[in-house]
Amino acid sequence: ERMEAIPYSAGDRIEWFLKKHPQPIYALDLVQKVGLPRSYCRALPQMLKKRSGITQNLVLFKKDQ
């Protein structure tokens, strides 16, 4: 049985994951599920702005209260 290839670049991998699982997810959970280090949470907002294939409202960011 052959499995689907997972994209290598971080942006492609995030886009691929969100197309497979189109429900809202917290940024930290997203980067962990696609196998990226936690430090990518800081770069995620800018990465989402640059990608037209990602629905930005699917990625949730926790706000400090």
Side-chain angles (χ1 to χ4, degrees), residues 15-43:
E15 187 173 338
W16 169 80
F17 182 86
L18 291 174
K19 285 181 179 176
K20 295 271 184 202
H21 308 280
Q23 61 266 8
I25 185 169
Y26 283 106
L28 179 59
D29 295 334
L30 174 62
V31 296
Q32 289 178 337
K33 286 187 184 267
V34 297
L36 298 171
R38 293 175 64 140
S39 60
Y40 270 79
C41 288
R42 289 180 51 175

mmCIF file of all heavy atoms in Angstrom, residues 15-43:
data_model
loop_
_atom_site.group_PDB
_atom_site.id
_atom_site.type_symbol
_atom_site.label_atom_id
_atom_site.label_comp_id
_atom_site.label_asym_id
_atom_site.label_seq_id
_atom_site.Cartn_x
_atom_site.Cartn_y
_atom_site.Cartn_z
ATOM 1 N N GLU A 15 -0.243 23.898 4.410
ATOM 2 C CA GLU A 15 -1.340 23.989 3.446
ATOM 3 C C GLU A 15 -1.939 22.609 3.169
ATOM 4 O O GLU A 15 -3.150 22.437 3.143
ATOM 5 C CB GLU A 15 -0.823 24.618 2.153
ATOM 6 C CG GLU A 15 -1.907 24.921 1.152
ATOM 7 C CD GLU A 15 -1.385 25.703 -0.031
ATOM 8 O OE1 GLU A 15 -0.339 26.363 0.076
ATOM 9 O OE2 GLU A 15 -2.046 25.644 -1.081
ATOM 10 N N TRP A 16 -1.087 21.607 3.003
ATOM 11 C CA TRP A 16 -1.521 20.228 2.766
ATOM 12 C C TRP A 16 -2.368 19.718 3.939
ATOM 13 O O TRP A 16 -3.431 19.137 3.743
ATOM 14 C CB TRP A 16 -0.284 19.351 2.570
ATOM 15 C CG TRP A 16 -0.529 17.884 2.563
ATOM 16 C CD1 TRP A 16 -0.992 17.130 1.522
ATOM 17 C CD2 TRP A 16 -0.327 16.980 3.650
ATOM 18 N NE1 TRP A 16 -1.081 15.818 1.903
ATOM 19 C CE2 TRP A 16 -0.679 15.699 3.207
ATOM 20 C CE3 TRP A 16 0.125 17.139 4.951
ATOM 21 C CZ2 TRP A 16 -0.599 14.584 4.024
ATOM 22 C CZ3 TRP A 16 0.199 16.031 5.755
ATOM 23 C CH2 TRP A 16 -0.150 14.770 5.299
ATOM 24 N N PHE A 17 -1.900 19.967 5.169
ATOM 25 C CA PHE A 17 -2.621 19.502 6.350
ATOM 26 C C PHE A 17 -3.993 20.159 6.462
ATOM 27 O O PHE A 17 -4.987 19.493 6.735
ATOM 28 C CB PHE A 17 -1.802 19.780 7.617
ATOM 29 C CG PHE A 17 -2.471 19.285 8.868
ATOM 30 C CD1 PHE A 17 -2.313 17.980 9.283
ATOM 31 C CD2 PHE A 17 -3.277 20.123 9.631
ATOM 32 C CE1 PHE A 17 -2.945 17.510 10.420
ATOM 33 C CE2 PHE A 17 -3.913 19.670 10.766
ATOM 34 C CZ PHE A 17 -3.744 18.356 11.167
ATOM 35 N N LEU A 18 -4.055 21.478 6.247
ATOM 36 C CA LEU A 18 -5.332 22.190 6.385
ATOM 37 C C LEU A 18 -6.327 21.800 5.310
ATOM 38 O O LEU A 18 -7.541 21.849 5.540
ATOM 39 C CB LEU A 18 -5.094 23.703 6.383
ATOM 40 C CG LEU A 18 -4.381 24.240 7.626
ATOM 41 C CD1 LEU A 18 -4.056 25.709 7.458
ATOM 42 C CD2 LEU A 18 -5.203 24.006 8.874
ATOM 43 N N LYS A 19 -5.854 21.385 4.145
ATOM 44 C CA LYS A 19 -6.771 20.896 3.109
ATOM 45 C C LYS A 19 -7.345 19.540 3.499
ATOM 46 O O LYS A 19 -8.482 19.232 3.187
ATOM 47 C CB LYS A 19 -6.060 20.809 1.762
ATOM 48 C CG LYS A 19 -5.859 22.164 1.134
ATOM 49 C CD LYS A 19 -5.185 22.063 -0.203
ATOM 50 C CE LYS A 19 -5.015 23.447 -0.804
ATOM 51 N NZ LYS A 19 -4.292 23.414 -2.065
ATOM 52 N N LYS A 20 -6.552 18.718 4.180
ATOM 53 C CA LYS A 20 -7.001 17.401 4.638
ATOM 54 C C LYS A 20 -7.919 17.489 5.856
ATOM 55 O O LYS A 20 -8.786 16.652 6.041
ATOM 56 C CB LYS A 20 -5.794 16.525 5.000
ATOM 57 C CG LYS A 20 -4.927 16.180 3.859
ATOM 58 C CD LYS A 20 -5.446 14.924 3.275
ATOM 59 C CE LYS A 20 -4.548 14.447 2.166
ATOM 60 N NZ LYS A 20 -5.252 13.565 1.287
ATOM 61 N N HIS A 21 -7.692 18.490 6.706
ATOM 62 C CA HIS A 21 -8.434 18.660 7.962
ATOM 63 C C HIS A 21 -8.952 20.093 8.042
ATOM 64 O O HIS A 21 -8.395 20.908 8.778
ATOM 65 C CB HIS A 21 -7.536 18.359 9.165
ATOM 66 C CG HIS A 21 -6.844 17.044 9.082
ATOM 67 N ND1 HIS A 21 -7.469 15.871 9.397
ATOM 68 C CD2 HIS A 21 -5.591 16.708 8.683
ATOM 69 C CE1 HIS A 21 -6.634 14.869 9.210
ATOM 70 N NE2 HIS A 21 -5.480 15.348 8.771
ATOM 71 N N PRO A 22 -10.013 20.407 7.321
ATOM 72 C CA PRO A 22 -10.484 21.807 7.240
ATOM 73 C C PRO A 22 -11.334 22.261 8.425
ATOM 74 O O PRO A 22 -12.423 22.781 8.257
ATOM 75 C CB PRO A 22 -11.274 21.832 5.935
ATOM 76 C CG PRO A 22 -11.805 20.442 5.811
ATOM 77 C CD PRO A 22 -10.755 19.543 6.410
ATOM 78 N N GLN A 23 -10.851 22.046 9.640
ATOM 79 C CA GLN A 23 -11.538 22.575 10.814
ATOM 80 C C GLN A 23 -10.553 23.439 11.588
ATOM 81 O O GLN A 23 -9.346 23.237 11.476
ATOM 82 C CB GLN A 23 -12.117 21.460 11.694
ATOM 83 C CG GLN A 23 -11.115 20.510 12.260
ATOM 84 C CD GLN A 23 -10.936 19.273 11.399
ATOM 85 O OE1 GLN A 23 -11.458 19.206 10.304
ATOM 86 N NE2 GLN A 23 -10.193 18.323 11.892
ATOM 87 N N PRO A 24 -11.037 24.388 12.363
ATOM 88 C CA PRO A 24 -10.132 25.287 13.108
ATOM 89 C C PRO A 24 -9.198 24.511 14.035
ATOM 90 O O PRO A 24 -9.578 23.511 14.640
ATOM 91 C CB PRO A 24 -11.084 26.168 13.913
ATOM 92 C CG PRO A 24 -12.371 26.122 13.154
ATOM 93 C CD PRO A 24 -12.435 24.745 12.549
ATOM 94 N N ILE A 25 -7.963 24.993 14.117
ATOM 95 C CA ILE A 25 -6.946 24.352 14.945
ATOM 96 C C ILE A 25 -6.035 25.443 15.507
ATOM 97 O O ILE A 25 -5.758 26.432 14.829
ATOM 98 C CB ILE A 25 -6.143 23.310 14.128
ATOM 99 C CG1 ILE A 25 -5.167 22.556 15.009
ATOM 100 C CG2 ILE A 25 -5.452 23.949 12.938
ATOM 101 C CD1 ILE A 25 -4.531 21.348 14.323
ATOM 102 N N TYR A 26 -5.601 25.268 16.745
ATOM 103 C CA TYR A 26 -4.667 26.227 17.338
ATOM 104 C C TYR A 26 -3.303 26.096 16.676
ATOM 105 O O TYR A 26 -2.890 25.005 16.276
ATOM 106 C CB TYR A 26 -4.547 26.018 18.846
ATOM 107 C CG TYR A 26 -5.718 26.568 19.606
ATOM 108 C CD1 TYR A 26 -6.673 25.742 20.158
ATOM 109 C CD2 TYR A 26 -5.877 27.942 19.741
ATOM 110 C CE1 TYR A 26 -7.765 26.258 20.840
ATOM 111 C CE2 TYR A 26 -6.968 28.467 20.424
ATOM 112 C CZ TYR A 26 -7.902 27.619 20.963
ATOM 113 O OH TYR A 26 -8.987 28.136 21.623
ATOM 114 N N ALA A 27 -2.595 27.204 16.583
ATOM 115 C CA ALA A 27 -1.306 27.258 15.897
ATOM 116 C C ALA A 27 -0.319 26.242 16.473
ATOM 117 O O ALA A 27 0.363 25.544 15.715
ATOM 118 C CB ALA A 27 -0.732 28.666 15.973
ATOM 119 N N LEU A 28 -0.231 26.149 17.778
ATOM 120 C CA LEU A 28 0.704 25.214 18.398
ATOM 121 C C LEU A 28 0.371 23.770 18.024
ATOM 122 O O LEU A 28 1.256 22.987 17.688
ATOM 123 C CB LEU A 28 0.714 25.376 19.917
ATOM 124 C CG LEU A 28 1.642 24.443 20.680
ATOM 125 C CD1 LEU A 28 3.089 24.621 20.227
ATOM 126 C CD2 LEU A 28 1.526 24.682 22.166
ATOM 127 N N ASP A 29 -0.899 23.425 18.059
ATOM 128 C CA ASP A 29 -1.313 22.073 17.676
ATOM 129 C C ASP A 29 -0.993 21.804 16.205
ATOM 130 O O ASP A 29 -0.566 20.711 15.846
ATOM 131 C CB ASP A 29 -2.805 21.873 17.928
ATOM 132 C CG ASP A 29 -3.165 21.943 19.394
ATOM 133 O OD1 ASP A 29 -2.279 21.648 20.234
ATOM 134 O OD2 ASP A 29 -4.314 22.299 19.709
ATOM 135 N N LEU A 30 -1.187 22.800 15.361
ATOM 136 C CA LEU A 30 -0.926 22.650 13.935
ATOM 137 C C LEU A 30 0.550 22.367 13.673
ATOM 138 O O LEU A 30 0.877 21.407 12.968
ATOM 139 C CB LEU A 30 -1.365 23.909 13.184
ATOM 140 C CG LEU A 30 -1.018 23.970 11.703
ATOM 141 C CD1 LEU A 30 -1.706 22.854 10.927
ATOM 142 C CD2 LEU A 30 -1.399 25.323 11.128
ATOM 143 N N VAL A 31 1.438 23.173 14.239
ATOM 144 C CA VAL A 31 2.861 22.956 13.963
ATOM 145 C C VAL A 31 3.345 21.611 14.522
ATOM 146 O O VAL A 31 4.185 20.958 13.912
ATOM 147 C CB VAL A 31 3.754 24.123 14.455
ATOM 148 C CG1 VAL A 31 3.439 25.393 13.711
ATOM 149 C CG2 VAL A 31 3.689 24.313 15.925
ATOM 150 N N GLN A 32 2.776 21.183 15.631
ATOM 151 C CA GLN A 32 3.157 19.878 16.175
ATOM 152 C C GLN A 32 2.640 18.743 15.298
ATOM 153 O O GLN A 32 3.344 17.770 15.080
ATOM 154 C CB GLN A 32 2.658 19.730 17.602
ATOM 155 C CG GLN A 32 3.417 20.597 18.576
ATOM 156 C CD GLN A 32 2.897 20.505 19.991
ATOM 157 O OE1 GLN A 32 1.747 20.140 20.224
ATOM 158 N NE2 GLN A 32 3.741 20.839 20.949
ATOM 159 N N LYS A 33 1.434 18.867 14.784
ATOM 160 C CA LYS A 33 0.856 17.808 13.954
ATOM 161 C C LYS A 33 1.569 17.646 12.620
ATOM 162 O O LYS A 33 1.596 16.558 12.074
ATOM 163 C CB LYS A 33 -0.629 18.037 13.734
ATOM 164 C CG LYS A 33 -1.454 17.734 14.967
ATOM 165 C CD LYS A 33 -2.928 17.808 14.655
ATOM 166 C CE LYS A 33 -3.724 17.611 15.898
ATOM 167 N NZ LYS A 33 -4.106 16.242 16.131
ATOM 168 N N VAL A 34 2.118 18.729 12.091
ATOM 169 C CA VAL A 34 2.841 18.620 10.818
ATOM 170 C C VAL A 34 4.337 18.376 11.024
ATOM 171 O O VAL A 34 5.096 18.319 10.067
ATOM 172 C CB VAL A 34 2.605 19.838 9.895
ATOM 173 C CG1 VAL A 34 1.155 19.952 9.512
ATOM 174 C CG2 VAL A 34 3.116 21.117 10.500
ATOM 175 N N GLY A 35 4.771 18.238 12.275
ATOM 176 C CA GLY A 35 6.145 17.859 12.570
ATOM 177 C C GLY A 35 7.147 18.989 12.556
ATOM 178 O O GLY A 35 8.318 18.778 12.261
ATOM 179 N N LEU A 36 6.693 20.190 12.876
ATOM 180 C CA LEU A 36 7.592 21.343 12.921
ATOM 181 C C LEU A 36 7.887 21.706 14.382
ATOM 182 O O LEU A 36 7.085 21.413 15.264
ATOM 183 C CB LEU A 36 6.946 22.542 12.225
ATOM 184 C CG LEU A 36 6.636 22.362 10.736
ATOM 185 C CD1 LEU A 36 5.797 23.530 10.233
ATOM 186 C CD2 LEU A 36 7.915 22.229 9.954
ATOM 187 N N PRO A 37 9.009 22.360 14.642
ATOM 188 C CA PRO A 37 9.295 22.798 16.012
ATOM 189 C C PRO A 37 8.358 23.916 16.461
ATOM 190 O O PRO A 37 7.803 24.642 15.631
ATOM 191 C CB PRO A 37 10.734 23.297 15.946
ATOM 192 C CG PRO A 37 11.126 23.330 14.532
ATOM 193 C CD PRO A 37 10.091 22.634 13.722
ATOM 194 N N ARG A 38 8.199 24.058 17.763
ATOM 195 C CA ARG A 38 7.293 25.071 18.330
ATOM 196 C C ARG A 38 7.650 26.488 17.899
ATOM 197 O O ARG A 38 6.794 27.359 17.841
ATOM 198 C CB ARG A 38 7.329 25.008 19.853
ATOM 199 C CG ARG A 38 6.750 23.752 20.416
ATOM 200 C CD ARG A 38 6.935 23.725 21.899
ATOM 201 N NE ARG A 38 6.176 24.819 22.495
ATOM 202 C CZ ARG A 38 5.496 24.740 23.602
ATOM 203 N NH1 ARG A 38 5.503 23.622 24.277
ATOM 204 N NH2 ARG A 38 4.835 25.766 24.055
ATOM 205 N N SER A 39 8.889 26.722 17.585
ATOM 206 C CA SER A 39 9.321 28.067 17.199
ATOM 207 C C SER A 39 8.631 28.553 15.923
ATOM 208 O O SER A 39 8.593 29.748 15.660
ATOM 209 C CB SER A 39 10.837 28.109 17.035
ATOM 210 O OG SER A 39 11.250 27.201 16.036
ATOM 211 N N TYR A 40 8.073 27.663 15.138
ATOM 212 C CA TYR A 40 7.356 28.057 13.927
ATOM 213 C C TYR A 40 6.070 28.817 14.241
ATOM 214 O O TYR A 40 5.523 29.479 13.368
ATOM 215 C CB TYR A 40 7.039 26.844 13.057
ATOM 216 C CG TYR A 40 8.128 26.531 12.067
ATOM 217 C CD1 TYR A 40 9.279 25.865 12.464
ATOM 218 C CD2 TYR A 40 8.019 26.917 10.740
ATOM 219 C CE1 TYR A 40 10.280 25.575 11.575
ATOM 220 C CE2 TYR A 40 9.020 26.630 9.835
ATOM 221 C CZ TYR A 40 10.154 25.971 10.257
ATOM 222 O OH TYR A 40 11.143 25.703 9.363
ATOM 223 N N CYS A 41 5.585 28.739 15.460
ATOM 224 C CA CYS A 41 4.370 29.483 15.834
ATOM 225 C C CYS A 41 4.578 30.983 15.638
ATOM 226 O O CYS A 41 3.637 31.694 15.288
ATOM 227 C CB CYS A 41 3.983 29.193 17.282
ATOM 228 S SG CYS A 41 3.311 27.557 17.522
ATOM 229 N N ARG A 42 5.795 31.452 15.854
ATOM 230 C CA ARG A 42 6.081 32.884 15.682
ATOM 231 C C ARG A 42 6.037 33.286 14.213
ATOM 232 O O ARG A 42 5.667 34.398 13.877
ATOM 233 C CB ARG A 42 7.447 33.217 16.268
ATOM 234 C CG ARG A 42 7.465 33.153 17.769
ATOM 235 C CD ARG A 42 8.805 33.485 18.306
ATOM 236 N NE ARG A 42 9.295 34.740 17.756
ATOM 237 C CZ ARG A 42 10.405 35.321 18.128
ATOM 238 N NH1 ARG A 42 11.152 34.763 19.049
ATOM 239 N NH2 ARG A 42 10.788 36.456 17.598
ATOM 240 N N ALA A 43 6.448 32.400 13.335
ATOM 241 C CA ALA A 43 6.503 32.700 11.900
ATOM 242 C C ALA A 43 5.183 32.417 11.194
ATOM 243 O O ALA A 43 4.972 32.857 10.064
ATOM 244 C CB ALA A 43 7.606 31.885 11.246
#
